[in-house]
Amino acid sequence: MHLHHTDPVRAEIIPPAAARSGGRPRPLRVGLGGPVGSGKTATVAALCRRLRDTVSIAVVTNDIYTREDAEALLRQAVLAPERITAVETGACPHTAIRDDISANLEAVEDLQERLDPLDLVLIESGGDNLTATFSKGLVDHQIFVIDTAGGDDIPRKGGPGVTAADLLVINKTDLAPHVGADLDAMRRDAEAARGPLPTVLTSVKDDHGVDPIADWISRRLAEHTAVRS
Amino acid sequence: MSPLSLLILGDGRFPSGGHAHSGGAETAIAAGRVHDAATLRDFCQGRLHTTGLVAAALAAGAATGYDPLSLDEAADARTPSPALRRVARRLGRQLMRAVRVTWPGPELDDLAAARPGGAHQPVVLGVAARMAALTPYDAAQAAAYDSVCGPVTAAIRLLGLDPFQATAVTAGLCGDMEHVASQAAGHAARLPAEGVDALPATSAPLLEITAEQHATWPVRLFAS
Ligand SMILES: Nc1nc2c(ncn2[C@@H]2O[C@H](COP(=O)(O)OP(=O)(O)O)[C@@H](O)[C@H]2O)c(=O)[nH]1
Ligand SMILES: [Mg+2]
């Protein structure tokens, strides 16, 4: 289900950075989707802190109301301002990541041109419903973030985000006892819905809580570099 | 020429970034000038006969094969607001990305190379129409339709306007759109003899002013 990097249409849409910048592959693009408040921005911030010393990162946000997420990231100073771009979505965040990805592709291209080298672009969707997924024309991999407080029946309800994302993150495990969420049931339901695709239960706000997600991304980065070279 | 190509190019679902732009409707709605189907119709009619006519003439001109770079300069000269010039180029760049895949052709490649930051959207639309074997009048119709359907879609989202009533607004402006498109094609036909002075320069000052204001709003749903 991953888009191969030799896809001719993709090469046409975004010329590989290799053509421009001395043989470097174009950056890996990872989308983060999921309902409002599940912890996407917290995950992006934690990933940046964890990976920025070894990986050149940029972030594209897709707020419903523009710039909130971008400004949260700026406030937390997780990346330099020129590495963060906000895209407006015309009240339709899922359109901007799936049906009409033009503005997001443009933002990615601009970051690619401005920042060299660039290894990883994280694209955060504006929070949306459980059916919102990223186009393969926009991202190489997608992570779907849900949380224990949003209801422990979400993995059972499924939907394309839960069933098909390359990584499912069940966040805010620290809150599970307070909201009466059954973590074992959530894990079981997720595994039943997702077959072999991986699921991580964590609290990204905790120390090292983001590590399993960061490790997963590091492996995707390693594969990406291996495919391109 | 295939009328189906025109339907594809004009479809609001054509993935060229337009869905995030309200064509000035977001400020007009915030100011209370547009609040129902009747005021939406007035807004769209005004936009169509001013900037819509200019856009349609640029698109028709580009569809005749007239030098797109001259048309692009003519578009700059006819767009006083820097914010709207930026928007037109951004949308042009996004449309370019889509049409280079859907109707690939050397004229699109040349224009993309000459204007990497984007040519004005109506110019790209006209060259795309040409690649899709459409006529200048077709291109003008697509531009005229685009100038109406952006604000209508935005009004559905921002006002919760009844989508049937909103679509009836668009349909009610069909005669206006056809009239504007044939005027535009007439202007484009005079390009070889008169140069870009043959193009109309009708404008809507309030759209220019509110576009500048909108660009400074810290919180907004649409990019323009
Ligand atoms: N308790 C707890 N709160 C979290 C965790 N992750 C995020 N939050 C909080 O959840 C709220 C929404 O997070 P945010 O990242 O903005 O969600 P987004 O809408 O998905 O981007 C914020 O108040 C975060 O501080 C977590 O692991 N545990
Ligand atoms: Mg967020």
Side-chain angles (χ1 to χ4, degrees):
Chain A
M1 71 162 285
H2 300 155
L3 195 75
H4 296 291
H5 306 296
T6 47
D7 184 319
V9 174
R10 260 287 276 304
E12 173 74 21
I13 295 171
I14 292 199
R20 286 198 295 267
S21 52
R24 283 190 73 90
R26 72 150 180 77
L28 182 75
R29 304 198 295 245
V30 177
L32 290 102
V36 178
S38 63
K40 297 178 294 300
T41 304
T43 304
V44 168
L47 282 172
C48 291
R49 281 192 212 96
R50 173 76 161 61
L51 295 171
R52 69 187 168 197
D53 294 336
T54 49
V55 177
S56 172
I57 309 175
V59 173
V60 179
T61 60
N62 281 256
D63 286 305
I64 306 178
Y65 277 104
T66 48
R67 300 211 56 85
E68 281 286 321
D69 285 342
E71 267 149 30
L73 295 172
L74 286 171
R75 253 193 325 276
Q76 299 175 52
V78 294
L79 287 179
E82 70 270 18
R83 291 181 174 270
I84 303 172
T85 299
V87 163
E88 286 111 337
T89 60
C92 242
H94 60 265
T95 305
I97 60 164
R98 187 185 56 206
D99 309 270
D100 185 350
I101 56 179
S102 308
N104 271 298
L105 278 177
E106 187 181 64
V108 171
E109 268 178 16
D110 285 344
L111 286 164
Q112 232 167 273
E113 247 149 54
R114 200 156 69 223
L115 307 166
D116 188 23
L118 183 60
D119 307 309
L120 174 66
V121 182
L122 300 173
I123 303 169
E124 177 185 343
S125 85
D128 210 307
N129 61 49
L130 295 173
T131 66
T133 50
F134 285 84
S135 161
K136 289 171 192 158
L138 180 59
V139 300
D140 300 299
H141 306 285
Q142 49 190 310
I143 300 176
F144 202 71
V145 183
I146 59 174
D147 70 318
T148 59
D152 64 3
D153 53 349
I154 288 185
R156 197 179 63 244
K157 285 183 184 162
V162 167
T163 56
D166 301 297
L167 178 67
L168 177 69
V169 174
I170 300 175
N171 188 34
K172 307 192 194 177
T173 48
D174 57 313
L175 295 184
H178 307 291
V179 297
D182 181 342
L183 289 179
D184 288 332
M186 288 186 90
R187 180 191 298 281
R188 225 176 19 248
D189 291 341
E191 279 166 6
R194 291 172 53 73
L197 293 168
T199 301
V200 160
L201 285 87
T202 188
S203 293
V204 299
K205 296 284 255 184
D206 289 354
D207 275 354
H208 298 290
V210 81
D211 286 5
I213 309 170
D215 292 347
W216 184 85
I217 287 185
S218 298
R219 287 197 295 278
R220 301 293 83 74
L221 272 169
E223 287 165 8
H224 182 69
T225 317
V227 167
R228 298 287 307 201
S229 53
Chain B
M1 176 200 98
S2 153
L4 280 174
S5 301
L6 180 56
L7 291 179
I8 295 170
L9 188 60
D11 191 343
R13 281 173 291 190
F14 192 76
S16 54
H19 73 95
H21 295 259
S22 77
E26 189 168 24
T27 43
I29 287 168
R33 282 188 293 275
V34 170
H35 51 83
D36 59 10
T39 46
L40 176 64
R41 182 185 198 283
D42 293 345
F43 178 89
C44 291
Q45 195 172 33
R47 185 168 195 257
L48 173 63
H49 285 279
T50 51
T51 56
L53 173 63
V54 173
L58 289 164
T64 65
Y66 193 82
D67 173 32
L69 298 182
S70 310
L71 293 172
D72 194 48
E73 279 172 20
D76 260 345
R78 285 159 178 73
T79 315
S81 148
L84 283 183
R85 288 201 295 272
R86 278 195 302 276
V87 165
R89 290 192 181 283
R90 254 174 86 180
L91 283 172
R93 182 174 164 193
Q94 296 181 16
L95 177 61
M96 176 64 84
R97 186 182 292 105
V99 296
R100 282 178 87 186
V101 179
T102 40
W103 295 288
E107 291 177 35
L108 288 170
D109 298 343
D110 291 346
L111 180 56
R115 291 282 182 276
H120 276 257
Q121 191 263 6
V123 177
V124 180
L125 183 67
V127 179
R130 192 173 153 77
M131 297 298 101
L134 293 166
T135 66
Y137 177 65
D138 292 334
Q141 280 184 304
Y145 176 65
D146 197 45
S147 106
V148 170
C149 108
V152 169
T153 311
I156 292 173
R157 295 189 197 163
L158 291 171
L159 288 173
L161 204 63
D162 178 338
F164 307 122
Q165 276 190 27
T167 306
V169 167
T170 309
L173 288 170
C174 270
D176 288 68
M177 289 188 262
E178 276 160 18
H179 178 65
V180 162
S182 61
Q183 268 182 294
H187 286 285
R190 299 206 309 274
L191 277 167
E194 297 172 27
V196 294
D197 287 346
L199 298 173
T202 40
S203 75
L206 195 55
L207 284 180
E208 306 280 339
I209 293 165
T210 58
E212 288 298 316
Q213 293 166 347
H214 186 268
T216 67
W217 286 11
V219 168
R220 54 182 191 236
L221 285 167
F222 287 82
S224 77

